[in-house]
Structure formats: structure tokens, C-alpha cells
């Protein structure tokens, strides 16, 4: 049986109700099931839904972007940091041989140190997704071999 491609609209909120991301007013998102294109806690709900279905999906942190890893926080002496004008919120590509998540976000700049956090910005957060399925269809052979969805909301190439 071929895999499914599911196209859906979503609004992502955190536990305090703040909207973090939404596809409203944009193209819906399309994903290929079973390849980790979207977070596991959301995928397992979406694959059971059909076109037109709406649902509020609560995804605990462990099934979203994972729990926060204190070991992913690194301090660098400011005078050894290659970018003297660094500010909080900037992101840098880390050394891929050292970190499993290679994007580091500057979380703090002190008089002497730059503190970088390799955790995903949403690590440790329980998330709520209000979703609406636009379409479900069988994946094409190309999509299965590429490992992602094509067409509207998917990869355009
Ligand atoms: Zn492709």
C-alpha cells in the first residue's frame, strides 16, 4: 500500500494560548506520512483523519520538539566569539560533528560571555494544533522516493 500525502491547515498555539504559527491566509502544508516531515505527535492524529475533518490536537513536548537538554547550552567567552556585534535571538550554524541539533540560538549576552542554546526553540513546550484536513491522497512514486510531498504546500521542484 502506498503512503498517503496529507494537506492541512493549522494554527499552532502554546499552553498559554499564544499563536506561534499558522497557515491561515497562506497555502496549507502538505506532508508525506511516515518519514518524519512533521512532529510525531501531530502526524499520528492527522493520518487517521479525512478531508474536511477538524480537530484540536494536544501534543506533549516529548512528541513535539522534545524535552530541553541542558547539555545543549554552551558558553563562549565573548572575546573569542567570532561576531562581536552578537545579539540575543541570533542563530548560528553549530559544528555538526558536536551537536545533533546544529542550529544554536543566542539566549544571553553578558559582559564576558555569549550563551548559545542548541535546543529547538519549542523544545520543552506542550503544543496545541487546531487542524483542518484539506486533502488526503496516495503518494506518487516520486514523492515516496524523494521522501517528501510535492505540489501545493509541498516541495516545488
Ligand atoms: Zn521531491
Amino acid at each position: 500500500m502506498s503512503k498517503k500525502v496529507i494537506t492541512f491547515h493549522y494554527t499552532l498555539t502554546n499552553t498559554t494560548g499564544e499563536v506561534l504559527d499558522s497557515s491561515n491566509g497562506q497555502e496549507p502544508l502538505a506532508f508525506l506520512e511516515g518519514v518524519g516531515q512533521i512532529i510525531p505527535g501531530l502526524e499520528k492524529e492527522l493520518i487517521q483523519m479525512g478531508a474536511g475533518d477538524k480537530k484540536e490536537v494536544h501534543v506533549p513536548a516529548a512528541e513535539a520538539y522534545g524535552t530541553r537538554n541542558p547539555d545543549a547550552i554552551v558558553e563562549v567567552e565573548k572575546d573569542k566569539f567570532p561576531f562581536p556585534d552578537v545579539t540575543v535571538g541570533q542563530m548560528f550554524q553549530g559544528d555538526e560533528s558536536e551537536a545533533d541539533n546544529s542550529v544554536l540560538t543566542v539566549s544571553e549576552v553578558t559582559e564576558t560571555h555569549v550563551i548559545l542554546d542548541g535546543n529547538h526553540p519549542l523544545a520543552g513546550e506542550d503544543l496545541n494544533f487546531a487542524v483542518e484536513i484539506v486533502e488526503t491522497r496516495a503518494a506518487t512514486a516520486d514523492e515516496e522516493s524523494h521522501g517528501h510531498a510535492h505540489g501545493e504546500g509541498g516541495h516545488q521542484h
Side-chain angles (χ1 to χ4, degrees):
M1 206 179 92
S2 67
K3 291 178 176 174
K4 276 193 293 189
V5 167
I6 298 169
T7 307
F8 68 105
H9 274 295
Y10 66 95
T11 296
L12 166 61
T13 52
N14 62 15
T15 49
T16 61
E18 184 189 349
V19 175
L20 303 176
D21 194 12
S22 176
S23 64
N24 279 346
Q26 302 176 53
E27 274 192 355
L29 190 68
F31 75 99
L32 175 67
E33 72 168 308
V35 295
Q37 269 200 281
I38 63 169
I39 58 173
L42 183 58
E43 173 161 348
K44 75 176 184 191
E45 297 292 333
L46 293 181
I47 58 176
Q48 297 177 52
M49 296 168 66
D53 288 353
K54 292 182 185 181
K55 192 168 182 176
E56 301 273 340
V57 181
H58 175 75
V59 183
E63 291 179 31
Y65 293 97
T67 51
R68 292 190 70 78
N69 175 10
D71 294 338
I73 296 166
V74 284
E75 286 191 27
V76 181
E77 284 178 49
K78 209 172 178 179
D79 53 11
K80 291 184 179 152
F81 199 73
F83 307 98
D85 298 329
V86 60
T87 55
V88 170
Q90 278 186 298
M91 292 190 201
F92 294 94
Q93 196 75 28
D95 183 342
E96 291 187 40
S97 62
E98 284 177 23
D100 43 358
N101 181 346
S102 63
V103 175
L104 298 165
T105 306
V106 177
S107 60
E108 201 180 339
V109 180
T110 70
E111 287 288 305
T112 54
H113 285 79
V114 178
I115 295 147
L116 297 150
D117 189 344
N119 286 291
H120 187 282
L122 293 176
E125 292 227 38
D126 292 351
L127 303 175
N128 293 298
F129 290 86
V131 295
E132 180 176 3
I133 305 290
V134 176
E135 181 191 36
T136 73
R137 60 173 170 81
T140 64
D142 272 354
E143 288 174 323
E144 291 212 26
S145 69
H146 290 192
H148 55 227
H150 291 159
E152 189 191 19
H155 275 248
Q156 315 279 344
H157 66 151

